[in-house]
Amino acid sequence: MHNNCNSLLAFTYATRVSYRSASGWTTLCYGGSDALSDRTQQVAYAGQLSTVHCVQSVVYGVPQGSVLGPLLYVLYMAELHQLVERHGVNLHQYADDCQLYLSTPVSDVAAAVSKLSACLTDVNDWLSRSRLRLNASKTHVMWLGSSQLLDKIDIREVQVTSARITVSDTARDLGVIIDSRLTMADHVAAVYCSCYYQLRQLRCVARRFQQKQLRQ
């Protein structure tokens, strides 16, 4: 069964890359498929490798920190952009974090929500076929705009596959807290609290040193 999983993953990867790639990518495609089949991993410590009995088979994914890992992941996920674009939705992706967004007037909000829900349903189906999963518990939905426009929107829940996600006023994106009015007030407040906490910690440490040592 493990060999079948390996073969299926390698075949899926090879098929996807060769389908959309130019001739320059084809060689990389078939070379990459070889790297995804019949793989094992060992632990190296102090110049010694784990014994043969501790060798583990790698049936999916790539080892964290591997050289080919980021490239293989980008190639494996590249088809997702085409899928999202067919729904008229924009996609921004950084590693495994994805943001789907679209612009709409207030009068067409309901249609935009339906379009987004349909897009997410197709994305979820594509991820399932790709042995990946859309985590609804980590999914956030936000309206972005001025206070006057946001006050006119009464939709507070959006259907995401089988779950209904409550619209959030803030969300963290790559370490930055985005608020629905794009004021950055929540992010500034969070940075302020973090800095104040670190200063308090430094104050406790500073009491253990003499003034001369601190000046150095």
Side-chain angles (χ1 to χ4, degrees), residues 130-147:
S130 305
R131 298 178 178 271
L132 300 171
R133 183 170 64 91
L134 176 64
N135 194 339
S137 63
K138 293 185 178 181
T139 301
H140 297 272
V141 178
M142 289 183 63
W143 294 113
L144 301 176
S146 64
S147 300

Side-chain angles (χ1 to χ4, degrees), residues 42-50:
Q42 292 176 275
V43 176
Y45 179 74
Q48 299 293 324
L49 285 174
S50 56

Side-chain angles (χ1 to χ4, degrees), residues 58-74:
V58 181
V59 296
Y60 54 84
V62 291
Q64 186 173 1
S66 65
V67 176
L68 282 177
L71 177 60
L72 292 175
Y73 182 80
V74 169

Side-chain angles (χ1 to χ4, degrees), residues 103-174:
S103 177
T104 181
V106 176
S107 57
D108 295 334
V109 162
V113 170
S114 299
K115 179 188 294 187
L116 182 62
S117 296
C119 178
L120 288 171
T121 298
D122 285 351
V123 167
N124 183 63
D125 293 341
W126 184 88
L127 291 173
S128 297
R129 295 193 302 270
S130 305
R131 298 178 178 271
L132 300 171
R133 183 170 64 91
L134 176 64
N135 194 339
S137 63
K138 293 185 178 181
T139 301
H140 297 272
V141 178
M142 289 183 63
W143 294 113
L144 301 176
S146 64
S147 300
Q148 293 80 5
L149 292 177
L150 293 177
D151 290 340
K152 298 177 182 179
I153 300 175
D154 56 359
I155 297 178
R156 303 304 301 171
E157 287 187 341
V158 174
Q159 187 75 30
V160 177
T161 62
S162 60
R164 294 193 66 83
I165 306 298
T166 302
V167 176
S168 304
D169 293 325
T170 61
R172 184 179 294 273
D173 183 22
L174 302 178

